[in-house]
Amino acid sequence: MDRRDFLRITGASGALCAAGATLAGSALAQERTATVSADWRAFELTADISIEDPGAQARLWIPMPDSADTDYQRGAQTVWRIEGGGTASLAQAPGYGVRMLAAQWPENPDIRRITVISRFQTRNRRVDLDQPAPANFRPESAATLREYLKPTDLLPTDGIVKATADRITRGHSGDLARARAIYEWVVENTCRTASTRGCGVGDVRYMLTANDLNGKCADINALFVALARAAGIPARDAYGLRVADSQLGYRSLGKAGDVTRAQHCRAEFYAASHGWVPVDPADVRKVMLEEPPGELPINNPQVRAARVMLFGAWEMNWVAFNHGHDVALPGSGLGPVPFLMYPNGETAAGRMDSLDPDSFRYRLTARQLPA
């Protein structure tokens, strides 16, 4: 589906919602006409969000699946239904082009609720680094690569970050070898901490300065991205959500059904020979901590297999949202958020806690659609 089709579908759905039509008759319910190969899987993600906070001037920003068709994710379509006299529209933050659904309500409605349904297709992603790039390989633009070398508020590329990157990559030549050295260093020196709220924050300078390399995916993978950028290798976080159980034998690396707390940040780096290469050192540490019976040593066969697999591959029981940092929420009266991976909300009283779905009142559910 190209962008014109996407805009036609979502534009039509917005009009339907404004007119009070049901979701059943929307374009989302129609089957795609394109032939889907056997390795593609289709999913439906539903976000049901209510604002219980009594504050006036309520606004919401909900991350959307990436609409750009790739070799591992395609066909993203979204519709929504809003109650309480509110309005909603697709929006995009400046800079990284982060897509979201922005909603707002009048001063004091009795109900402030929105239901958002997205459908998309995914298939497992693997870049074979032992083989030349395929004949149809197209290099990334120089402007995009420059964007993913820049520092961000929480991912600086100077000082201790640069010094650490230089030390890790010393003696390694070529972007693949240097990126692998950073990946292995992150796997060996970090630790997943179950008590970290949400997915962590990703404050890389603090992590290195305090020698506190603990956290979750947004911390551990941000460390990889910042070190890669500091070493001159374009890299980016990929923020998204797990939507299915793992088919590769890892209980800890999947989630189906209620995925309210299944957010997961991944990472990529750019190799001139192969393009964007998927990695996920954070999930290696997750396997070590959570895979039964728990607290697995780094030389455990399951850990070794995950470590090899997650340099160059992603299991796509996960949907990608965006690559954004320092995200300015359109219409917000407050400053940028570090990234947009959870529903975010605010009222005149301030920003709501996006990591507390019980008090914030949101629930995310995912299901695989029949072939």
Side-chain angles (χ1 to χ4, degrees):
M1 179 179 64
D2 65 24
R3 183 161 180 80
R4 288 175 296 177
D5 290 335
F6 175 81
L7 292 171
R8 173 181 56 79
I9 291 169
T10 53
S13 66
L16 285 169
C17 293
T22 64
L23 292 174
S26 71
L28 184 58
Q30 300 175 10
E31 296 297 328
R32 283 178 54 84
T33 57
T35 300
V36 179
S37 57
D39 54 348
W40 286 93
R41 292 190 290 169
F43 294 95
E44 180 179 270
L45 174 65
T46 301
D48 192 2
I49 308 174
S50 298
I51 296 181
E52 304 294 324
D53 188 303
Q57 302 173 20
R59 292 178 178 271
L60 281 177
W61 297 271
I62 307 160
M64 295 285 98
D66 190 353
S67 64
D69 285 356
T70 65
D71 61 356
Y72 57 90
Q73 181 172 313
R74 70 184 186 187
Q77 305 173 23
T78 298
V79 295
W80 59 90
R81 179 178 60 225
I82 190 165
E83 302 172 55
T87 60
S89 61
L90 291 172
Q92 185 167 293
Y96 292 91
V98 175
R99 291 182 65 253
M100 66 193 78
L101 185 66
Q104 59 183 2
W105 283 264
E107 292 300 303
N108 292 297
D110 294 331
I111 299 174
R112 291 178 289 188
R113 180 178 178 181
I114 187 168
T115 300
V116 185
I117 299 179
S118 297
R119 283 186 176 180
F120 49 87
Q121 299 163 16
T122 70
R123 68 176 176 183
N124 291 344
R125 180 184 185 191
R126 179 173 178 267
V127 177
D128 190 344
L129 300 175
D130 295 324
Q131 298 295 327
N136 61 353
F137 169 66
R138 291 186 298 176
E140 184 63 89
S141 71
T144 297
L145 296 181
R146 285 194 298 270
E147 187 69 26
Y148 292 113
L149 283 169
K150 294 178 181 177
T152 74
D153 186 41
L154 295 179
L155 278 70
T157 57
D158 59 357
I160 192 171
V161 184
K162 173 65 172 169
T164 304
D166 288 346
R167 184 173 69 253
I168 294 168
T169 58
R170 188 173 298 124
H172 298 278
S173 60
D175 44 19
L176 280 174
R178 293 161 69 238
R180 185 181 289 276
I182 294 170
Y183 172 86
E184 302 294 356
W185 185 91
V186 171
V187 167
E188 292 175 3
N189 288 276
T190 57
C191 180
R192 182 176 173 88
T193 307
S195 60
T196 299
R197 291 195 75 217
C199 290
V201 176
D203 188 342
V204 172
R205 193 186 302 278
Y206 166 80
M207 293 172 70
L208 291 172
T209 302
N211 194 28
D212 181 3
L213 304 183
N214 306 319
K216 288 186 181 173
C217 57
D219 302 305
I220 295 171
N221 284 337
L223 181 61
F224 171 87
V225 170
L227 290 169
R229 291 187 185 189
I233 303 168
R236 59 194 186 189
D237 287 295
Y239 297 102
L241 183 75
R242 301 190 202 269
V243 293
D245 294 329
S246 172
Q247 296 181 324
L248 302 180
Y250 292 99
R251 295 185 192 177
S252 61
L253 301 187
K255 189 70 172 72
D258 186 346
V259 295
T260 304
R261 299 178 185 272
Q263 290 81 9
H264 180 55
C265 168
R266 289 176 156 175
E268 296 175 290
F269 72 92
Y270 189 83
S273 57
H274 289 79
W276 289 106
V277 178
V279 297
D280 198 338
D283 262 357
V284 181
R285 299 304 308 199
K286 184 176 176 70
V287 167
M288 291 178 66
L289 178 67
E290 298 181 11
E291 202 65 26
E295 301 291 350
L296 301 179
I298 201 165
N299 62 351
N300 175 275
Q302 283 187 295
V303 176
R304 292 203 308 267
R307 185 172 180 174
V308 171
M309 175 185 71
L310 291 169
F311 187 86
W314 288 344
E315 183 183 6
M316 286 302 297
N317 58 338
W318 171 89
V319 59
F321 289 159
N322 60 73
H323 302 292
H325 288 275
D326 304 337
V327 179
L329 302 174
S332 171
L334 303 173
V337 294
F339 48 80
L340 187 65
M341 188 163 53
Y342 303 84
N344 274 251
E346 66 183 50
T347 67
R351 185 165 281 158
M352 289 177 272
D353 186 354
S354 63
L355 301 184
D356 188 359
D358 294 331
S359 62
F360 189 70
R361 295 292 183 227
Y362 66 81
R363 185 168 185 262
L364 309 178
T365 55
R367 68 184 183 100
Q368 184 172 340
L369 300 175

